[in-house]
Amino acid sequence: MTLFDGVYPFYLQQRKAAVFNISTIIVIVVFLTLACSFLLITPGIRGRARLYWTLRVLLSLFVGMVIVVVQFTGDWETGWVQANTSYKSFSHVQVNADIGLHIGLAGLNVTLRGNPVEQINETINYNEHFPWNFGADYDRSYSEGLQKGLPSPILYVAEKFSTQSPCAVHRQYRIAGHYASAMLWVAFCTWVISNILFSMPVLIYGGYMLLVTGAFMIFSLLSFATVRNSPMCLIQIGARTLHVAYGGSFWLMLAIGLLCFVVGVTIVAMHHLSLDLLKTFFDLRQDKAEECQEMPEVVINSHYVSKGLPPSQPSEINGI
């Protein structure tokens, strides 16, 4: 890296958001479109069934959206620290900045935001992504960051997760994220199957598939949590230490997994204890008045009765 008028070069590059990216937005838009399409037809549903249909469909769409969205979010683990730190390599210039670390299933984001943003005649506001999913080369992304001249705090944090780092956490995060992602895709498939079973309708089997969906969600969390078994190196920035903790996506997935368990257990229990109530909620209970409805009255023509012909022989009368 060479100097240009005493300043180290910084090149423009494509940046990813720490939590939301294009894939996340596309998934949210797709599910919101499905929800809005359903809301347009709800006026055609009569009575209390409208409320039941709305609750079931919106809840199901929300569960499916969360399962897919968390695949692309970057806040399974997060951490922030504010510190005075050097801004560029081979320079003693110090800046006050907020440094953030956002870890997802497919990689991590390192955020550097000046406090204030404008310092040393520059705008300090960076958000860099380093992927480690299968098919991506983390070390190559890190090397490209070196060539681009990224700020020192970003490179320092990213170096902790490289394959050459003494911390040796790259392999654990990569494998844990891979298996957690695979289990979430299985959970999405079982979610689709549960909706198909509810629409057939086979309610108790739909409840069983919801339990399986919740189980795979919990398995994905356990898979990601295995990285805690590896000792994490201290990320010392200036005089402060950056600590990470489970983020919003982790806790959201835990809540949705428990919700699937609760709903699945409730459906199975109601199937055995109160089947009529369950059918009412799924708009499957037939009206008892229709079930007990008598056969319509048979009107006998008095002309045939006067001739002494039995009413059970209309075919002979027509043949005369």
Side-chain angles (χ1 to χ4, degrees):
M1 187 183 300
T2 59
L3 287 170
F4 180 75
D5 292 338
V7 178
Y8 289 93
F10 287 84
Y11 302 102
L12 294 176
Q13 61 176 315
Q14 183 180 0
R15 298 176 181 176
K16 289 188 67 176
V19 178
F20 292 100
N21 54 31
I22 299 301
S23 301
T24 303
I25 296 174
I26 291 175
V27 172
I28 293 176
V29 169
V30 170
F31 278 91
L32 285 179
T33 302
L34 294 175
C36 293
S37 301
F38 171 77
L39 292 176
L40 290 177
I41 66 174
T42 51
I45 304 175
R46 297 180 179 179
R48 290 183 300 176
R50 178 188 306 171
L51 176 62
Y52 298 152
W53 271 95
T54 302
L55 180 61
R56 294 200 314 268
V57 172
L58 294 184
L59 181 61
S60 179
L61 288 176
F62 178 72
V63 171
M65 181 185 69
V66 170
I67 294 175
V68 179
V69 163
V70 294
Q71 300 267 6
F72 308 103
T73 55
D75 61 339
W76 281 71
E77 281 187 340
T78 58
W80 282 94
V81 66
Q82 182 178 356
N84 292 317
T85 179
S86 61
Y87 180 53
K88 302 175 183 178
S89 301
F90 310 107
S91 174
H92 299 289
V93 177
Q94 297 276 320
V95 296
N96 186 275
D98 296 321
I99 300 97
L101 175 60
H102 313 275
I103 301 175
L105 300 182
L108 62 84
N109 284 73
V110 184
T111 302
L112 178 67
R113 186 182 304 123
N115 193 14
V117 177
E118 298 290 339
Q119 295 185 54
I120 58 173
N121 297 324
E122 290 190 26
T123 300
I124 304 175
N125 191 7
Y126 291 85
N127 201 347
E128 306 300 328
H129 180 70
F130 300 90
W132 58 42
N133 58 303
F134 289 130
D137 191 341
Y138 185 94
D139 290 338
R140 180 179 179 182
S141 299
Y142 176 72
S143 299
E144 290 176 352
L146 287 172
Q147 296 174 3
K148 294 173 182 177
L150 293 179
S152 295
I154 294 179
L155 296 175
Y156 170 73
V157 174
E159 189 272 337
K160 294 289 185 179
F161 295 86
S162 65
T163 58
Q164 305 300 326
S165 173
C167 295
V169 295
H170 174 84
R171 184 172 179 270
Q172 285 79 2
Y173 270 102
R174 186 184 187 191
I175 295 177
H178 173 74
Y179 282 105
S181 177
M183 291 180 186
L184 286 178
W185 284 121
V186 175
F188 179 76
C189 294
T190 57
W191 170 79
V192 173
I193 295 174
S194 68
N195 283 277
I196 295 174
L197 293 174
F198 284 138
S199 63
M200 289 182 63
V202 190
L203 302 183
I204 187 169
Y205 294 109
Y208 289 149
M209 292 309 298
L210 270 183
L211 292 176
V212 175
T213 302
F216 275 103
M217 292 182 187
I218 301 301
F219 291 156
S220 69
L221 298 177
L222 295 176
S223 175
F224 184 80
T226 56
V227 296
R228 294 286 180 166
N229 297 329
S230 302
M232 183 68 181
C233 291
L234 290 179
I235 304 178
Q236 194 77 26
I237 301 177
R240 308 292 298 274
T241 302
L242 194 157
H243 299 281
V244 295
Y246 293 129
S249 293
F250 184 92
W251 297 116
L252 178 61
M253 182 53 55
L254 177 61
I256 296 300
L258 295 178
L259 176 63
C260 288
F261 269 119
V262 172
V263 175
V265 170
T266 302
I267 291 174
V268 173
M270 289 181 64
H271 182 271
H272 294 286
L273 301 177
S274 181
L275 184 58
D276 288 338
L277 182 59
L278 182 63
K279 288 184 176 181
T280 300
F281 182 76
F282 280 89
D283 196 23
L284 298 177
R285 188 177 64 85
Q286 296 180 355
D287 193 351
K288 291 184 177 180
E290 295 179 0
E291 295 178 357
C292 301
Q293 186 177 11
E294 298 180 356
M295 294 293 293
E297 275 187 27
V298 178
V299 179
I300 302 175
N301 195 324
S302 59
H303 172 70
Y304 300 129
V305 175
S306 63
K307 290 185 177 183
L309 295 175
S312 60
Q313 300 176 355
S315 58
E316 296 180 4
I317 298 173
N318 294 333
I320 296 176

